[in-house]
Amino acid sequence: MWSLVALFNIWKMVSGSIVFLLSRCCPPDVVVFPHCVEEVSALTKVCHQHRLPIIPFGTGTGLEGGVSAVEGGVCFSLRNMDQILDLHQEDFDVTVEPGVTRKALNAYLRDTGLWFPVDPGADASLCGMAATSASGTNAVRYGTMRENVVNLEVVLSDGTIIHTAGKGRRPRKTSAGYNLTNLFVGSEGTLGIITKTTLRLYGIPEAMVSAVCSFPSVQDAVDSTVQILQAGVPIARIEFLDDVMIDACNRFSCLSYPVTPTLFLEFHGSEQSLKEQVNTTEDITQSNRGSDFQWAQDAETRNRLWKARHDAWYAALALRPGCKAYATDVCVPLSQLPQIIVETKEDLIENRLTGPIAGHVGDGNFHCLMVVDPTDPEELHQVHLFTERLARRALAMGGTCTGEHGVGLGKRALLCEELGSMAIQVMQGLKDTLDPHNMMNPGKILQPREL
Ligand SMILES: Cc1cc2nc3c(=O)[nH]c(=O)nc-3n(C[C@H](O)[C@H](O)[C@H](O)COP(=O)(O)OP(=O)(O)OC[C@H]3O[C@@H](n4cnc5c(N)ncnc54)[C@H](O)[C@@H]3O)c2cc1C
Ligand SMILES: *[C@@H]1O[C@H](CO)[C@@H](O)[C@H](O)[C@H]1NC(C)=O
Ligand SMILES: *[C@@H]1O[C@H](CO)[C@@H](O)[C@H](O)[C@H]1NC(C)=O
């Protein structure tokens, strides 16, 4: 089960230097495979009694090393809890156990006309996606996990079982106290084990169409993105790939798009609304010197296109065999996006670094997939300096350097800068209340005593 973590060979910045995560990636002492919430609770009580670290494990696809057991302890693999419960078609919600993945849920829903759109690329567990507050290519239209989780069942570090919005509740609105659901979304296994999540569902759109549009410059592509959103087009996906990224995807996925800054777009809606969306979008891209759209209409061509986008990580790795990848993850207010991408691109070229850019630009979020030779200390140093510059640029623009992938082991120092030390102290207070012995995923984020 550790092979996935090993596969990604994630690089992390820890206390000022980039270290190879795998060198700190310790396996747990024990792996348990509970079948129901009562078993999770009973096992947690044992851990509590003996003060053993608890590491929840969904499908292990997280990119932040969140499941590595840096202090040993007990890994809770939740894959045997794989029931889909309480589908309410008429209310557009469903409750799932932590072994259910996003694809399994959508396969189950196929005949109902409903779907769950949040799509981080990997076929991750939905509770793991809640735990990491996953987003991905659809977030611009449907929101991230944060907007789509209605209720959670959570086992706390002492074995207590809670329902964050009340047992059996699946409200659209509530004003009953603090929003505990929101607190646990994105908590990355540091506050409790999510054993059920209730999710919002959506009607499968009547029509979907994808398109690819090439641009002469980064500025033109990103300006188009900003204008499309400002025009209120309810675009379902809008993904930016720079020339290096599209070249890598062409090679890796046997495509033949022009090697220039590119947007991958997708529109969802009724036939009529689709026409309007496409018309407005084309007007905007043409006024920014964009090419004619290359269409992907049927499901198969569309799937090929989005598979290529989701394989960008592997395509980047294939650019330099033997190298490792490290993804930066900044998010800025939309109006700042053209400037930061243009500057970042210049920075990469100037310092001769391999860092194809791919981004969920509709959310102001983009990644440089830094491909690095792990045996070259000078290159590592350069990449480290680059990621620092990028993070500072984003923070100065009112953005974040923790983007969509949660707070990696190494982002602690920057986290402090992003949030300010008072906010971190409040978080520490919450952590101390919910997990007083610091047993829940102790390798992750908030060990702010060291901050
Ligand atoms: C190719 C690729 C592309 C990706 N692209 C995106 C993207 O565009 N956007 C994006 O947001 N993400 C992306 N991801 C990451 C994706 O979001 C995560 O893989 C997913 O959200 C984690 O789910 P998981 O079940 O695999 O969790 P794991 O990897 O098993 O765990 C992740 C973290 O959550 C905790 N956790 C897991 N399950 C539970 C639970 N039941 N209760 C409490 N804590 C739990 C773990 O302890 C760990 O800290 C990508 C991943 C891959 C491989
Ligand atoms: C509480 O948080 C959840 C998860 O982020 C969200 O879906 C829900 O809308 C929030 N509820 C309220 C009343 O804001
Ligand atoms: C969009 O519609 C307008 C009005 O019908 C038309 O003039 C324009 O050419 C259309 N744009 C595109 C790109 O088709």
Short mmCIF file of all heavy atoms in Angstrom, two decimals, residues 8 55-63 66-67 78 98 120-122 124-125 127-129 131-136 188-189 192-194 310 313-314 360 404-405 441 444, ligand 1:
data_model
loop_
_atom_site.label_atom_id
_atom_site.label_comp_id
_atom_site.label_asym_id
_atom_site.label_seq_id
_atom_site.Cartn_x
_atom_site.Cartn_y
_atom_site.Cartn_z
N PHE A 8 5.14 8.69 -6.24
CA PHE A 8 5.14 10.13 -6.50
C PHE A 8 6.46 10.78 -6.14
O PHE A 8 6.78 11.84 -6.63
CB PHE A 8 3.98 10.80 -5.78
CG PHE A 8 2.69 10.33 -6.31
CD1 PHE A 8 1.72 9.82 -5.49
CD2 PHE A 8 2.47 10.34 -7.67
CE1 PHE A 8 0.53 9.36 -6.01
CE2 PHE A 8 1.29 9.87 -8.21
CZ PHE A 8 0.32 9.38 -7.36
N ILE A 55 -2.91 7.14 11.84
CA ILE A 55 -2.80 7.72 10.49
C ILE A 55 -3.93 7.17 9.62
O ILE A 55 -3.88 6.02 9.18
CB ILE A 55 -1.43 7.41 9.83
CG1 ILE A 55 -0.29 7.95 10.68
CG2 ILE A 55 -1.34 8.03 8.45
CD1 ILE A 55 0.35 6.93 11.56
N PRO A 56 -4.95 7.99 9.34
CA PRO A 56 -6.02 7.54 8.45
C PRO A 56 -5.49 7.38 7.03
O PRO A 56 -4.66 8.18 6.59
CB PRO A 56 -7.05 8.67 8.51
CG PRO A 56 -6.67 9.51 9.68
CD PRO A 56 -5.20 9.35 9.86
N PHE A 57 -5.98 6.37 6.33
CA PHE A 57 -5.52 6.08 4.97
C PHE A 57 -6.73 5.84 4.08
O PHE A 57 -7.51 4.93 4.31
CB PHE A 57 -4.62 4.85 4.99
CG PHE A 57 -3.91 4.58 3.68
CD1 PHE A 57 -2.57 4.92 3.52
CD2 PHE A 57 -4.58 3.97 2.62
CE1 PHE A 57 -1.91 4.66 2.32
CE2 PHE A 57 -3.92 3.73 1.42
CZ PHE A 57 -2.59 4.07 1.26
N GLY A 58 -6.90 6.68 3.04
CA GLY A 58 -8.01 6.50 2.10
C GLY A 58 -7.56 5.62 0.95
O GLY A 58 -7.62 4.40 1.02
N THR A 59 -7.09 6.26 -0.14
CA THR A 59 -6.52 5.49 -1.25
C THR A 59 -5.05 5.83 -1.48
O THR A 59 -4.46 5.36 -2.45
CB THR A 59 -7.32 5.72 -2.55
OG1 THR A 59 -7.62 7.11 -2.66
CG2 THR A 59 -8.62 4.95 -2.53
N GLY A 60 -4.49 6.67 -0.64
CA GLY A 60 -3.06 6.95 -0.73
C GLY A 60 -2.65 7.75 -1.95
O GLY A 60 -1.49 7.72 -2.35
N THR A 61 -3.58 8.49 -2.55
CA THR A 61 -3.23 9.24 -3.76
C THR A 61 -2.85 10.69 -3.45
O THR A 61 -2.54 11.44 -4.37
CB THR A 61 -4.40 9.27 -4.76
OG1 THR A 61 -5.48 10.01 -4.19
CG2 THR A 61 -4.87 7.87 -5.10
N GLY A 62 -2.93 11.08 -2.20
CA GLY A 62 -2.60 12.47 -1.84
C GLY A 62 -1.19 12.82 -2.26
O GLY A 62 -0.30 11.96 -2.24
N LEU A 63 -0.98 14.08 -2.63
CA LEU A 63 0.33 14.48 -3.15
C LEU A 63 1.20 15.12 -2.09
O LEU A 63 2.26 15.65 -2.38
CB LEU A 63 0.14 15.46 -4.32
CG LEU A 63 -0.53 14.89 -5.56
CD1 LEU A 63 -0.84 15.99 -6.56
CD2 LEU A 63 0.33 13.82 -6.20
N GLY A 66 0.75 12.94 3.17
CA GLY A 66 -0.07 12.96 4.38
C GLY A 66 -0.22 11.61 5.07
O GLY A 66 -0.54 11.57 6.25
N VAL A 67 -0.01 10.53 4.35
CA VAL A 67 -0.20 9.22 4.98
C VAL A 67 1.12 8.61 5.46
O VAL A 67 1.13 7.48 5.94
CB VAL A 67 -0.90 8.22 4.03
CG1 VAL A 67 -2.33 8.67 3.76
CG2 VAL A 67 -0.15 8.05 2.74
N LEU A 78 -9.07 2.32 5.40
CA LEU A 78 -10.54 2.33 5.50
C LEU A 78 -11.20 1.67 4.30
O LEU A 78 -12.40 1.81 4.08
CB LEU A 78 -11.01 3.77 5.69
CG LEU A 78 -10.39 4.39 6.96
CD1 LEU A 78 -10.35 5.90 6.89
CD2 LEU A 78 -11.14 3.92 8.20
N PRO A 98 -15.87 5.52 3.91
CA PRO A 98 -14.56 6.00 3.43
C PRO A 98 -13.87 5.11 2.40
O PRO A 98 -12.90 5.55 1.78
CB PRO A 98 -13.71 6.10 4.70
CG PRO A 98 -14.45 5.36 5.74
CD PRO A 98 -15.87 5.28 5.35
N PRO A 120 -10.51 15.42 -8.72
CA PRO A 120 -9.09 15.78 -8.59
C PRO A 120 -8.19 14.94 -9.49
O PRO A 120 -6.98 14.93 -9.29
CB PRO A 120 -8.80 15.49 -7.11
CG PRO A 120 -9.74 14.41 -6.74
CD PRO A 120 -10.94 14.52 -7.64
N GLY A 121 -8.74 14.26 -10.46
CA GLY A 121 -7.88 13.47 -11.36
C GLY A 121 -7.75 12.04 -10.88
O GLY A 121 -8.18 11.11 -11.53
N ALA A 122 -7.15 11.86 -9.71
CA ALA A 122 -6.98 10.52 -9.17
C ALA A 122 -8.34 9.96 -8.75
O ALA A 122 -9.26 10.71 -8.42
CB ALA A 122 -6.06 10.58 -7.95
N ALA A 124 -9.69 8.96 -6.08
CA ALA A 124 -9.47 8.98 -4.64
C ALA A 124 -10.74 8.61 -3.89
O ALA A 124 -11.84 8.64 -4.44
CB ALA A 124 -9.03 10.39 -4.22
N SER A 125 -10.58 8.24 -2.61
CA SER A 125 -11.75 8.00 -1.75
C SER A 125 -12.40 9.34 -1.46
O SER A 125 -11.73 10.37 -1.32
CB SER A 125 -11.33 7.32 -0.46
OG SER A 125 -10.77 8.26 0.45
N CYS A 127 -14.00 10.28 1.22
CA CYS A 127 -13.68 10.78 2.57
C CYS A 127 -12.26 11.34 2.59
O CYS A 127 -12.00 12.35 3.26
CB CYS A 127 -13.86 9.69 3.61
SG CYS A 127 -15.60 9.28 3.89
N GLY A 128 -11.35 10.72 1.84
CA GLY A 128 -9.99 11.26 1.70
C GLY A 128 -10.04 12.61 0.99
O GLY A 128 -9.32 13.54 1.35
N MET A 129 -10.91 12.72 0.00
CA MET A 129 -11.07 14.00 -0.69
C MET A 129 -11.63 15.06 0.27
O MET A 129 -11.24 16.23 0.22
CB MET A 129 -11.98 13.85 -1.91
CG MET A 129 -11.31 13.18 -3.10
SD MET A 129 -12.47 12.63 -4.38
CE MET A 129 -13.24 14.17 -4.88
N ALA A 131 -11.13 14.96 3.49
CA ALA A 131 -10.03 15.20 4.44
C ALA A 131 -8.99 16.17 3.88
O ALA A 131 -8.35 16.90 4.62
CB ALA A 131 -9.37 13.88 4.84
N THR A 132 -8.82 16.16 2.55
CA THR A 132 -7.82 17.04 1.94
C THR A 132 -8.47 18.26 1.28
O THR A 132 -7.77 19.06 0.66
CB THR A 132 -7.00 16.30 0.86
OG1 THR A 132 -7.92 15.75 -0.09
CG2 THR A 132 -6.18 15.18 1.45
N SER A 133 -9.80 18.37 1.38
CA SER A 133 -10.51 19.45 0.72
C SER A 133 -10.13 19.53 -0.76
O SER A 133 -9.76 20.58 -1.28
CB SER A 133 -10.20 20.78 1.41
OG SER A 133 -10.99 21.79 0.88
N ALA A 134 -10.22 18.40 -1.43
CA ALA A 134 -9.77 18.30 -2.82
C ALA A 134 -10.58 19.22 -3.73
O ALA A 134 -11.74 19.53 -3.45
CB ALA A 134 -9.91 16.86 -3.30
N SER A 135 -9.95 19.64 -4.80
CA SER A 135 -10.69 20.43 -5.78
C SER A 135 -10.48 19.82 -7.15
O SER A 135 -10.95 18.73 -7.41
CB SER A 135 -10.31 21.90 -5.72
OG SER A 135 -8.92 22.08 -5.77
N GLY A 136 -9.74 20.47 -8.04
CA GLY A 136 -9.51 19.88 -9.35
C GLY A 136 -10.19 20.66 -10.45
O GLY A 136 -10.62 21.80 -10.26
N GLU A 188 -7.05 16.94 7.04
CA GLU A 188 -5.96 16.03 6.67
C GLU A 188 -5.63 15.00 7.74
O GLU A 188 -4.46 14.73 8.02
CB GLU A 188 -4.70 16.84 6.31
CG GLU A 188 -4.96 17.83 5.19
CD GLU A 188 -3.69 18.50 4.71
OE1 GLU A 188 -3.17 19.35 5.44
OE2 GLU A 188 -3.23 18.16 3.62
N GLY A 189 -6.65 14.46 8.35
CA GLY A 189 -6.43 13.39 9.31
C GLY A 189 -5.82 13.86 10.62
O GLY A 189 -5.40 13.04 11.43
N GLY A 192 -9.43 13.90 13.34
CA GLY A 192 -10.28 12.75 13.56
C GLY A 192 -10.33 11.90 12.30
O GLY A 192 -9.80 12.30 11.25
N ILE A 193 -10.95 10.72 12.42
CA ILE A 193 -11.08 9.83 11.26
C ILE A 193 -12.49 9.99 10.70
O ILE A 193 -13.48 9.78 11.41
CB ILE A 193 -10.87 8.36 11.68
CG1 ILE A 193 -9.51 8.20 12.35
CG2 ILE A 193 -10.99 7.44 10.47
CD1 ILE A 193 -9.29 6.81 12.96
N ILE A 194 -12.58 10.38 9.45
CA ILE A 194 -13.90 10.55 8.81
C ILE A 194 -14.41 9.17 8.42
O ILE A 194 -13.76 8.46 7.64
CB ILE A 194 -13.79 11.46 7.58
CG1 ILE A 194 -13.29 12.85 7.99
CG2 ILE A 194 -15.13 11.56 6.86
CD1 ILE A 194 -12.93 13.76 6.82
N HIS A 310 -5.14 15.15 -16.90
CA HIS A 310 -4.91 14.56 -15.57
C HIS A 310 -3.57 13.82 -15.51
O HIS A 310 -3.02 13.62 -14.43
CB HIS A 310 -6.06 13.61 -15.21
CG HIS A 310 -7.32 14.37 -14.85
ND1 HIS A 310 -8.57 13.95 -15.22
CD2 HIS A 310 -7.50 15.53 -14.18
CE1 HIS A 310 -9.47 14.82 -14.77
NE2 HIS A 310 -8.84 15.79 -14.15
N TRP A 313 1.06 15.27 -14.66
CA TRP A 313 2.13 14.98 -13.69
C TRP A 313 3.12 13.96 -14.26
O TRP A 313 4.33 14.14 -14.21
CB TRP A 313 1.48 14.48 -12.40
CG TRP A 313 2.42 14.03 -11.33
CD1 TRP A 313 2.92 12.77 -11.16
CD2 TRP A 313 2.98 14.83 -10.27
NE1 TRP A 313 3.73 12.73 -10.05
CE2 TRP A 313 3.79 13.98 -9.48
CE3 TRP A 313 2.86 16.18 -9.91
CZ2 TRP A 313 4.49 14.43 -8.36
CZ3 TRP A 313 3.55 16.61 -8.79
CH2 TRP A 313 4.35 15.75 -8.04
N TYR A 314 2.54 12.89 -14.84
CA TYR A 314 3.39 11.84 -15.39
C TYR A 314 4.07 12.32 -16.67
O TYR A 314 5.21 11.95 -16.95
CB TYR A 314 2.55 10.58 -15.66
CG TYR A 314 1.74 10.19 -14.44
CD1 TYR A 314 0.37 10.42 -14.36
CD2 TYR A 314 2.37 9.63 -13.31
CE1 TYR A 314 -0.36 10.10 -13.23
CE2 TYR A 314 1.65 9.32 -12.18
CZ TYR A 314 0.28 9.55 -12.14
OH TYR A 314 -0.43 9.25 -11.02
N HIS A 360 -5.45 25.25 -12.72
CA HIS A 360 -6.91 25.42 -12.65
C HIS A 360 -7.14 26.93 -12.64
O HIS A 360 -7.51 27.51 -11.62
CB HIS A 360 -7.45 24.78 -11.39
CG HIS A 360 -6.95 23.39 -11.16
ND1 HIS A 360 -7.05 22.40 -12.11
CD2 HIS A 360 -6.34 22.81 -10.10
CE1 HIS A 360 -6.52 21.28 -11.62
NE2 HIS A 360 -6.08 21.51 -10.41
N GLU A 404 -4.37 24.22 -3.42
CA GLU A 404 -5.44 23.24 -3.28
C GLU A 404 -4.98 21.95 -2.66
O GLU A 404 -5.80 21.11 -2.32
CB GLU A 404 -6.04 22.93 -4.66
CG GLU A 404 -5.00 22.29 -5.57
CD GLU A 404 -5.56 21.79 -6.89
OE1 GLU A 404 -6.77 21.70 -7.03
OE2 GLU A 404 -4.75 21.48 -7.75
N HIS A 405 -3.68 21.74 -2.52
CA HIS A 405 -3.22 20.42 -2.10
C HIS A 405 -2.97 20.30 -0.61
O HIS A 405 -2.23 19.44 -0.18
CB HIS A 405 -1.96 20.02 -2.86
CG HIS A 405 -2.25 19.59 -4.26
ND1 HIS A 405 -3.06 18.52 -4.55
CD2 HIS A 405 -1.87 20.10 -5.44
CE1 HIS A 405 -3.16 18.39 -5.85
NE2 HIS A 405 -2.45 19.35 -6.42
N ASN A 441 -2.41 11.76 13.20
CA ASN A 441 -1.51 12.10 12.10
C ASN A 441 -0.44 13.11 12.53
O ASN A 441 -0.34 14.19 11.95
CB ASN A 441 -2.31 12.63 10.91
CG ASN A 441 -1.67 12.25 9.59
OD1 ASN A 441 -0.58 11.69 9.58
ND2 ASN A 441 -2.34 12.55 8.51
N LYS A 444 1.72 15.49 10.30
CA LYS A 444 1.14 16.54 9.46
C LYS A 444 1.19 17.89 10.15
O LYS A 444 1.30 18.00 11.36
CB LYS A 444 -0.33 16.20 9.17
CG LYS A 444 -0.51 15.23 8.03
CD LYS A 444 0.09 15.67 6.74
CE LYS A 444 -0.74 16.72 6.03
NZ LYS A 444 -0.24 16.98 4.69
C1 LIG B 1 -2.35 12.54 -10.73
C2 LIG B 1 -2.99 13.26 -9.58
C3 LIG B 1 -3.57 14.51 -9.79
C4 LIG B 1 -4.17 15.19 -8.73
N1 LIG B 1 -4.74 16.39 -8.98
C5 LIG B 1 -5.37 17.04 -7.98
C6 LIG B 1 -6.04 18.25 -8.23
O1 LIG B 1 -6.06 18.74 -9.36
N2 LIG B 1 -6.65 18.87 -7.19
C7 LIG B 1 -6.64 18.35 -5.92
O2 LIG B 1 -7.23 18.93 -5.01
N3 LIG B 1 -6.01 17.20 -5.67
C8 LIG B 1 -5.38 16.54 -6.65
N4 LIG B 1 -4.76 15.37 -6.39
C9 LIG B 1 -4.71 14.89 -5.01
C10 LIG B 1 -6.07 14.34 -4.56
O3 LIG B 1 -6.80 15.41 -4.07
C11 LIG B 1 -5.89 13.40 -3.44
O4 LIG B 1 -5.32 12.30 -4.09
C12 LIG B 1 -7.17 12.98 -2.71
O5 LIG B 1 -7.93 14.08 -2.29
C13 LIG B 1 -6.78 12.21 -1.47
O6 LIG B 1 -7.65 11.14 -1.31
P1 LIG B 1 -7.14 9.74 -0.77
O7 LIG B 1 -8.35 8.96 -0.41
O8 LIG B 1 -6.19 9.10 -1.69
O9 LIG B 1 -6.38 10.20 0.57
P2 LIG B 1 -4.98 9.67 1.11
O10 LIG B 1 -3.89 9.98 0.17
O11 LIG B 1 -5.14 8.26 1.57
O12 LIG B 1 -4.84 10.62 2.39
C14 LIG B 1 -4.65 12.00 2.21
C15 LIG B 1 -4.70 12.68 3.59
O13 LIG B 1 -6.04 12.60 4.10
C16 LIG B 1 -6.09 11.83 5.30
N5 LIG B 1 -7.25 10.95 5.19
C17 LIG B 1 -7.57 10.08 4.20
N6 LIG B 1 -8.73 9.48 4.45
C18 LIG B 1 -9.18 9.99 5.63
C19 LIG B 1 -10.35 9.77 6.42
N7 LIG B 1 -11.29 8.91 6.05
N8 LIG B 1 -10.46 10.45 7.58
C20 LIG B 1 -9.53 11.35 7.96
N9 LIG B 1 -8.41 11.60 7.26
C21 LIG B 1 -8.25 10.93 6.10
C22 LIG B 1 -4.78 11.07 5.36
O14 LIG B 1 -4.38 10.84 6.69
C23 LIG B 1 -3.83 12.02 4.64
O15 LIG B 1 -3.38 13.01 5.51
C24 LIG B 1 -4.17 14.63 -7.43
C25 LIG B 1 -3.60 13.39 -7.21
C26 LIG B 1 -3.02 12.70 -8.27
C27 LIG B 1 -2.43 11.36 -8.00
#
